[in-house]
Amino acid sequence: MSVAALRVRPAWALLENHFQKMQGLHLRQLFAEDAKRGEKFAVEAAGIYLDYSKNRMTAETLQLLLQLAEESGLRERIDAMFRGEKINVTEKRSVLHVALRAPRDATIMHDGENVVPQVHSVLDKMADFAVRLRSGAWQGHTGKRIRNVVNIGIGGSDLGPVMAYEALRYYSERAMTFRFVSNVDGTDFAEAVRDLDPLETLFIISSKTFTTLETMTNAHTARDWLLAGLNGEEKAIAKHFVAVSTNTKEVAKFGIDTDNMFGFWDWVGGRYSMDSAIGLSTMIAIGPENFRAMLDGFHEMDEHFRTAPFDRNLPVLLGLLTIWYADFFGAQTVAVLPYEQYLKRFPAYLQQLTMESNGKHVTLDGTQVDYDTGPIYWGEPGTNGQHSFYQLIHQGTRLIPCDFIAFMQSLNPLGRHHDMLLANVFAQTEALAFGKVEEEVKAEGTPDWLLPHRLFAGNRPSNTILLDRLTPAALGKLVALYEHSVFTQGTIWQIDSFDQWGVELGKVLAQRIIPQLEDTAEPKLEHDSSTNALIRRYRKRKGST
Ligand SMILES: O=P(O)(O)OC[C@H]1O[C@H](O)[C@H](O)[C@@H](O)[C@@H]1O
């Protein structure tokens, strides 16, 4: 199906017209007009309840957005992804993270081959390793039990593992220590290992390409640190280093036995890889059974996304609402606010998923877009954020659509804590939507001069996403929900959500500058005057105390 440019799709013009009407409508009015609104605009699927009624939309908005999804070829594109078509056109790659969580008997084809058996063979190898490590059967070079696991990776090879470890800490093996090193800033490595015994430490070098500067630098430092603790015995490497990568050649070059390598494939994007072998640290932490439960959660959401009608399709609805605010209301950001301490790294994880995917300025055929694409995602867990940035969401001049995420049951029930936590979720969405009008503020005895400061205009939209309990499966569903929301948005914008050329330039320039900082001979600097002066200043002062 050939898809027209976004602005000439019929639904777009209809939405533009419709927006004029919606702009002036208040959520107070929308709720007053329909006593059932709160239930009407809510949908439950795959164990997730999404209440999207506190959005600035009507049944007509929804119908037009759904029309836009149809006209954008969303259905065909979902099928194309699942069929293994090379929808990542700029890299000529398939996009098959859905195959990572397909059940053993499923068939997903890539270049004429069913990839599901390969996926499960890696999962089995990971499970075998995780069990040996957790039971103490896999020992360090001197026969000591491995108690510490350090994942070295960056971007998708770090954020997923860190987020999942934190999210599923409740299920983790508490007798083991898990650390994550990503930054090329030596402090990251130094602090991660300062209290660890090399004889009890396993490093997982996670890198899709196995060429990433930060990861390779940290991996070499880890190697030196280990050998320093083991009298330089090179043989020890085999017991203390494993690799997760798509690049066998580079892994072997680094000196890691490829028997100790866990593979994945170029059809898995870095930011879509936490459920591939990149999740090895997660599997060691929570055990293979819990890891498989997480994959089942992912898969349940995949199936929902693939088969549910769009008007009841959670990722489609989330994605369409994001388009509504980004392109019509001009909202620049989306706040993701998990009311769950274990999800503290979830917003950071989502930043790569959403912004590396949809931070694009040209369509698939290279045409400059004439509309806004990916919004800025950000957030912090509640209730903490309430005491810092929520002020701006409630009374600032910007429109910030919010996703509130909460669980019905606490993993750590303590007195009244959980009721208080959830009361805050509901109170925040209520306050944002309905605000506080002049009469109410006056009735509290507020003097006239103070009135404007104490008014809450309301009409600030939010989604409420509720799950029963933060289980491994629940985490899988939640991540897949956002993955497919990103997909929905990217499809409508007609961009490549699976490449990331924007990160290249800085990398190339850094490679050029490194020798200019390190060479003893004064380098010939041919940058702009600012960069030249900064380099000179650094060279002069780097050794000073
Ligand atoms: O896993 P690696 O090949 O080391 O890549 C790590 C990360 O670095 C790159 O710069 C990309 O922007 C990310 O998408 C990727 O996840």
PDB file of all heavy atoms in Angstrom, residues 153-157 206-212 215 264 270-271 278 352 356 500 503-504 507, ligand 1:
ATOM      1  N   GLY A 153      28.576  -2.338  29.293  1.00  0.00           N
ATOM      2  CA  GLY A 153      27.893  -2.049  28.030  1.00  0.00           C
ATOM      3  C   GLY A 153      27.376  -0.626  28.094  1.00  0.00           C
ATOM      4  O   GLY A 153      27.449   0.023  29.149  1.00  0.00           O
ATOM      5  N   ILE A 154      26.867  -0.134  27.000  1.00  0.00           N
ATOM      6  CA  ILE A 154      26.332   1.243  27.007  1.00  0.00           C
ATOM      7  C   ILE A 154      25.129   1.300  26.071  1.00  0.00           C
ATOM      8  O   ILE A 154      24.964   0.416  25.225  1.00  0.00           O
ATOM      9  CB  ILE A 154      27.440   2.271  26.628  1.00  0.00           C
ATOM     10  CG1 ILE A 154      27.042   3.697  27.044  1.00  0.00           C
ATOM     11  CG2 ILE A 154      27.775   2.212  25.137  1.00  0.00           C
ATOM     12  CD1 ILE A 154      28.216   4.677  27.092  1.00  0.00           C
ATOM     13  N   GLY A 155      24.312   2.322  26.223  1.00  0.00           N
ATOM     14  CA  GLY A 155      23.108   2.450  25.388  1.00  0.00           C
ATOM     15  C   GLY A 155      22.200   1.255  25.620  1.00  0.00           C
ATOM     16  O   GLY A 155      21.954   0.851  26.763  1.00  0.00           O
ATOM     17  N   GLY A 156      21.783   0.641  24.532  1.00  0.00           N
ATOM     18  CA  GLY A 156      20.896  -0.508  24.647  1.00  0.00           C
ATOM     19  C   GLY A 156      21.542  -1.693  25.345  1.00  0.00           C
ATOM     20  O   GLY A 156      20.847  -2.591  25.828  1.00  0.00           O
ATOM     21  N   SER A 157      22.858  -1.708  25.411  1.00  0.00           N
ATOM     22  CA  SER A 157      23.540  -2.822  26.072  1.00  0.00           C
ATOM     23  C   SER A 157      23.744  -2.553  27.557  1.00  0.00           C
ATOM     24  O   SER A 157      24.441  -3.300  28.248  1.00  0.00           O
ATOM     25  CB  SER A 157      24.888  -3.079  25.385  1.00  0.00           C
ATOM     26  OG  SER A 157      24.662  -3.358  24.020  1.00  0.00           O
ATOM     27  N   SER A 206      28.917  -6.617  27.097  1.00  0.00           N
ATOM     28  CA  SER A 206      27.715  -6.584  26.265  1.00  0.00           C
ATOM     29  C   SER A 206      27.838  -5.500  25.218  1.00  0.00           C
ATOM     30  O   SER A 206      27.884  -4.318  25.537  1.00  0.00           O
ATOM     31  CB  SER A 206      26.488  -6.287  27.128  1.00  0.00           C
ATOM     32  OG  SER A 206      26.305  -7.286  28.094  1.00  0.00           O
ATOM     33  N   SER A 207      27.906  -5.918  23.974  1.00  0.00           N
ATOM     34  CA  SER A 207      27.969  -4.923  22.902  1.00  0.00           C
ATOM     35  C   SER A 207      27.556  -5.585  21.601  1.00  0.00           C
ATOM     36  O   SER A 207      28.168  -6.565  21.176  1.00  0.00           O
ATOM     37  CB  SER A 207      29.391  -4.365  22.766  1.00  0.00           C
ATOM     38  OG  SER A 207      29.473  -3.510  21.652  1.00  0.00           O
ATOM     39  N   LYS A 208      26.524  -5.053  21.009  1.00  0.00           N
ATOM     40  CA  LYS A 208      26.054  -5.626  19.747  1.00  0.00           C
ATOM     41  C   LYS A 208      27.189  -5.650  18.722  1.00  0.00           C
ATOM     42  O   LYS A 208      27.454  -6.658  18.095  1.00  0.00           O
ATOM     43  CB  LYS A 208      24.864  -4.795  19.246  1.00  0.00           C
ATOM     44  CG  LYS A 208      24.271  -5.294  17.961  1.00  0.00           C
ATOM     45  CD  LYS A 208      23.024  -4.504  17.590  1.00  0.00           C
ATOM     46  CE  LYS A 208      22.634  -4.811  16.151  1.00  0.00           C
ATOM     47  NZ  LYS A 208      21.465  -4.059  15.712  1.00  0.00           N
ATOM     48  N   THR A 209      27.883  -4.528  18.608  1.00  0.00           N
ATOM     49  CA  THR A 209      28.932  -4.421  17.593  1.00  0.00           C
ATOM     50  C   THR A 209      30.292  -4.885  18.097  1.00  0.00           C
ATOM     51  O   THR A 209      31.161  -5.244  17.318  1.00  0.00           O
ATOM     52  CB  THR A 209      29.090  -2.949  17.172  1.00  0.00           C
ATOM     53  OG1 THR A 209      29.324  -2.180  18.373  1.00  0.00           O
ATOM     54  CG2 THR A 209      27.847  -2.433  16.480  1.00  0.00           C
ATOM     55  N   PHE A 210      30.500  -4.831  19.396  1.00  0.00           N
ATOM     56  CA  PHE A 210      31.783  -5.107  20.030  1.00  0.00           C
ATOM     57  C   PHE A 210      32.885  -4.168  19.528  1.00  0.00           C
ATOM     58  O   PHE A 210      34.062  -4.527  19.482  1.00  0.00           O
ATOM     59  CB  PHE A 210      32.205  -6.571  19.860  1.00  0.00           C
ATOM     60  CG  PHE A 210      32.608  -7.201  21.163  1.00  0.00           C
ATOM     61  CD1 PHE A 210      31.650  -7.521  22.113  1.00  0.00           C
ATOM     62  CD2 PHE A 210      33.941  -7.446  21.471  1.00  0.00           C
ATOM     63  CE1 PHE A 210      32.002  -8.081  23.335  1.00  0.00           C
ATOM     64  CE2 PHE A 210      34.315  -8.003  22.693  1.00  0.00           C
ATOM     65  CZ  PHE A 210      33.336  -8.323  23.632  1.00  0.00           C
ATOM     66  N   THR A 211      32.480  -2.974  19.167  1.00  0.00           N
ATOM     67  CA  THR A 211      33.469  -1.968  18.742  1.00  0.00           C
ATOM     68  C   THR A 211      33.225  -0.647  19.452  1.00  0.00           C
ATOM     69  O   THR A 211      33.957   0.309  19.228  1.00  0.00           O
ATOM     70  CB  THR A 211      33.366  -1.709  17.224  1.00  0.00           C
ATOM     71  OG1 THR A 211      32.015  -1.338  16.924  1.00  0.00           O
ATOM     72  CG2 THR A 211      33.748  -2.917  16.402  1.00  0.00           C
ATOM     73  N   THR A 212      32.203  -0.579  20.289  1.00  0.00           N
ATOM     74  CA  THR A 212      31.848   0.702  20.916  1.00  0.00           C
ATOM     75  C   THR A 212      32.965   1.166  21.847  1.00  0.00           C
ATOM     76  O   THR A 212      33.422   0.415  22.722  1.00  0.00           O
ATOM     77  CB  THR A 212      30.516   0.548  21.673  1.00  0.00           C
ATOM     78  OG1 THR A 212      29.555   0.042  20.753  1.00  0.00           O
ATOM     79  CG2 THR A 212      30.033   1.862  22.248  1.00  0.00           C
ATOM     80  N   THR A 215      32.597   0.829  25.747  1.00  0.00           N
ATOM     81  CA  THR A 215      32.548  -0.550  26.217  1.00  0.00           C
ATOM     82  C   THR A 215      33.894  -1.241  26.059  1.00  0.00           C
ATOM     83  O   THR A 215      34.355  -1.959  26.960  1.00  0.00           O
ATOM     84  CB  THR A 215      31.439  -1.310  25.463  1.00  0.00           C
ATOM     85  OG1 THR A 215      30.220  -0.596  25.692  1.00  0.00           O
ATOM     86  CG2 THR A 215      31.300  -2.734  25.934  1.00  0.00           C
ATOM     87  N   PHE A 264      23.410 -12.660  19.373  1.00  0.00           N
ATOM     88  CA  PHE A 264      22.127 -12.230  18.858  1.00  0.00           C
ATOM     89  C   PHE A 264      22.319 -11.760  17.433  1.00  0.00           C
ATOM     90  O   PHE A 264      23.335 -12.104  16.819  1.00  0.00           O
ATOM     91  CB  PHE A 264      21.373 -11.277  19.792  1.00  0.00           C
ATOM     92  CG  PHE A 264      22.008  -9.951  20.117  1.00  0.00           C
ATOM     93  CD1 PHE A 264      21.399  -8.772  19.705  1.00  0.00           C
ATOM     94  CD2 PHE A 264      23.176  -9.864  20.842  1.00  0.00           C
ATOM     95  CE1 PHE A 264      21.947  -7.534  20.022  1.00  0.00           C
ATOM     96  CE2 PHE A 264      23.739  -8.634  21.170  1.00  0.00           C
ATOM     97  CZ  PHE A 264      23.118  -7.474  20.751  1.00  0.00           C
ATOM     98  N   GLY A 270      19.664  -2.241  19.181  1.00  0.00           N
ATOM     99  CA  GLY A 270      20.230  -2.119  20.531  1.00  0.00           C
ATOM    100  C   GLY A 270      19.165  -1.781  21.573  1.00  0.00           C
ATOM    101  O   GLY A 270      19.097  -2.383  22.640  1.00  0.00           O
ATOM    102  N   ARG A 271      18.318  -0.814  21.249  1.00  0.00           N
ATOM    103  CA  ARG A 271      17.317  -0.373  22.233  1.00  0.00           C
ATOM    104  C   ARG A 271      16.134  -1.326  22.326  1.00  0.00           C
ATOM    105  O   ARG A 271      15.192  -1.072  23.063  1.00  0.00           O
ATOM    106  CB  ARG A 271      16.864   1.048  21.911  1.00  0.00           C
ATOM    107  CG  ARG A 271      16.368   1.249  20.491  1.00  0.00           C
ATOM    108  CD  ARG A 271      16.294   2.729  20.152  1.00  0.00           C
ATOM    109  NE  ARG A 271      15.941   2.987  18.767  1.00  0.00           N
ATOM    110  CZ  ARG A 271      16.800   3.075  17.764  1.00  0.00           C
ATOM    111  NH1 ARG A 271      18.098   2.891  17.986  1.00  0.00           N
ATOM    112  NH2 ARG A 271      16.398   3.344  16.539  1.00  0.00           N
ATOM    113  N   ILE A 278      21.447  -9.887  25.553  1.00  0.00           N
ATOM    114  CA  ILE A 278      21.819  -8.677  26.308  1.00  0.00           C
ATOM    115  C   ILE A 278      21.213  -8.744  27.714  1.00  0.00           C
ATOM    116  O   ILE A 278      21.727  -8.149  28.660  1.00  0.00           O
ATOM    117  CB  ILE A 278      21.388  -7.393  25.536  1.00  0.00           C
ATOM    118  CG1 ILE A 278      22.248  -7.197  24.276  1.00  0.00           C
ATOM    119  CG2 ILE A 278      21.416  -6.154  26.422  1.00  0.00           C
ATOM    120  CD1 ILE A 278      23.706  -6.832  24.513  1.00  0.00           C
ATOM    121  N   GLN A 352      15.910   6.196  25.661  1.00  0.00           N
ATOM    122  CA  GLN A 352      16.588   5.668  24.473  1.00  0.00           C
ATOM    123  C   GLN A 352      15.573   5.052  23.520  1.00  0.00           C
ATOM    124  O   GLN A 352      15.613   5.293  22.313  1.00  0.00           O
ATOM    125  CB  GLN A 352      17.654   4.627  24.839  1.00  0.00           C
ATOM    126  CG  GLN A 352      18.482   4.251  23.610  1.00  0.00           C
ATOM    127  CD  GLN A 352      19.271   2.956  23.723  1.00  0.00           C
ATOM    128  OE1 GLN A 352      19.089   2.186  24.663  1.00  0.00           O
ATOM    129  NE2 GLN A 352      20.133   2.712  22.768  1.00  0.00           N
ATOM    130  N   GLU A 356      15.731   7.716  20.602  1.00  0.00           N
ATOM    131  CA  GLU A 356      16.642   7.246  19.563  1.00  0.00           C
ATOM    132  C   GLU A 356      15.809   6.687  18.393  1.00  0.00           C
ATOM    133  O   GLU A 356      16.219   6.748  17.243  1.00  0.00           O
ATOM    134  CB  GLU A 356      17.604   6.184  20.112  1.00  0.00           C
ATOM    135  CG  GLU A 356      18.891   6.114  19.312  1.00  0.00           C
ATOM    136  CD  GLU A 356      19.972   5.243  19.947  1.00  0.00           C
ATOM    137  OE1 GLU A 356      19.735   4.039  20.141  1.00  0.00           O
ATOM    138  OE2 GLU A 356      21.064   5.758  20.222  1.00  0.00           O
ATOM    139  N   GLN A 500      19.826   4.999  13.784  1.00  0.00           N
ATOM    140  CA  GLN A 500      20.265   6.040  14.722  1.00  0.00           C
ATOM    141  C   GLN A 500      21.503   6.742  14.182  1.00  0.00           C
ATOM    142  O   GLN A 500      22.526   6.806  14.833  1.00  0.00           O
ATOM    143  CB  GLN A 500      20.510   5.484  16.138  1.00  0.00           C
ATOM    144  CG  GLN A 500      21.540   4.371  16.298  1.00  0.00           C
ATOM    145  CD  GLN A 500      21.058   3.037  15.828  1.00  0.00           C
ATOM    146  OE1 GLN A 500      19.923   2.666  16.106  1.00  0.00           O
ATOM    147  NE2 GLN A 500      21.882   2.321  15.097  1.00  0.00           N
ATOM    148  N   VAL A 503      23.776   9.601  16.037  1.00  0.00           N
ATOM    149  CA  VAL A 503      24.790   9.469  17.081  1.00  0.00           C
ATOM    150  C   VAL A 503      26.200   9.338  16.479  1.00  0.00           C
ATOM    151  O   VAL A 503      27.195   9.353  17.208  1.00  0.00           O
ATOM    152  CB  VAL A 503      24.507   8.265  18.008  1.00  0.00           C
ATOM    153  CG1 VAL A 503      23.160   8.429  18.704  1.00  0.00           C
ATOM    154  CG2 VAL A 503      24.530   6.955  17.240  1.00  0.00           C
ATOM    155  N   GLU A 504      26.266   9.240  15.150  1.00  0.00           N
ATOM    156  CA  GLU A 504      27.557   8.939  14.507  1.00  0.00           C
ATOM    157  C   GLU A 504      28.565  10.082  14.553  1.00  0.00           C
ATOM    158  O   GLU A 504      29.725   9.891  14.866  1.00  0.00           O
ATOM    159  CB  GLU A 504      27.340   8.545  13.038  1.00  0.00           C
ATOM    160  CG  GLU A 504      26.661   7.215  12.853  1.00  0.00           C
ATOM    161  CD  GLU A 504      27.376   6.085  13.581  1.00  0.00           C
ATOM    162  OE1 GLU A 504      28.620   6.032  13.516  1.00  0.00           O
ATOM    163  OE2 GLU A 504      26.685   5.277  14.232  1.00  0.00           O
ATOM    164  N   LYS A 507      30.712  10.629  17.525  1.00  0.00           N
ATOM    165  CA  LYS A 507      31.660   9.520  17.709  1.00  0.00           C
ATOM    166  C   LYS A 507      32.887   9.724  16.829  1.00  0.00           C
ATOM    167  O   LYS A 507      34.018   9.550  17.272  1.00  0.00           O
ATOM    168  CB  LYS A 507      31.012   8.199  17.288  1.00  0.00           C
ATOM    169  CG  LYS A 507      30.007   7.634  18.241  1.00  0.00           C
ATOM    170  CD  LYS A 507      29.658   6.212  17.771  1.00  0.00           C
ATOM    171  CE  LYS A 507      28.388   5.713  18.388  1.00  0.00           C
ATOM    172  NZ  LYS A 507      27.972   4.409  17.897  1.00  0.00           N
TER     173      LYS A 507
HETATM  174  O1  LIG B   1      25.765  -2.585  21.810  1.00  0.00           O
HETATM  175  P1  LIG B   1      26.712  -1.647  21.143  1.00  0.00           P
HETATM  176  O2  LIG B   1      27.062  -2.061  19.752  1.00  0.00           O
HETATM  177  O3  LIG B   1      27.956  -1.465  21.994  1.00  0.00           O
HETATM  178  O4  LIG B   1      26.008  -0.258  21.035  1.00  0.00           O
HETATM  179  C1  LIG B   1      25.649   0.489  22.142  1.00  0.00           C
HETATM  180  C2  LIG B   1      24.835   1.721  21.778  1.00  0.00           C
HETATM  181  O5  LIG B   1      25.651   2.642  21.095  1.00  0.00           O
HETATM  182  C3  LIG B   1      25.275   3.268  19.900  1.00  0.00           C
HETATM  183  O6  LIG B   1      25.902   4.498  19.859  1.00  0.00           O
HETATM  184  C4  LIG B   1      23.805   3.425  19.629  1.00  0.00           C
HETATM  185  O7  LIG B   1      23.405   4.783  19.649  1.00  0.00           O
HETATM  186  C5  LIG B   1      22.917   2.656  20.560  1.00  0.00           C
HETATM  187  O8  LIG B   1      21.737   2.347  19.870  1.00  0.00           O
HETATM  188  C6  LIG B   1      23.560   1.391  21.038  1.00  0.00           C
HETATM  189  O9  LIG B   1      22.674   0.703  21.892  1.00  0.00           O
END
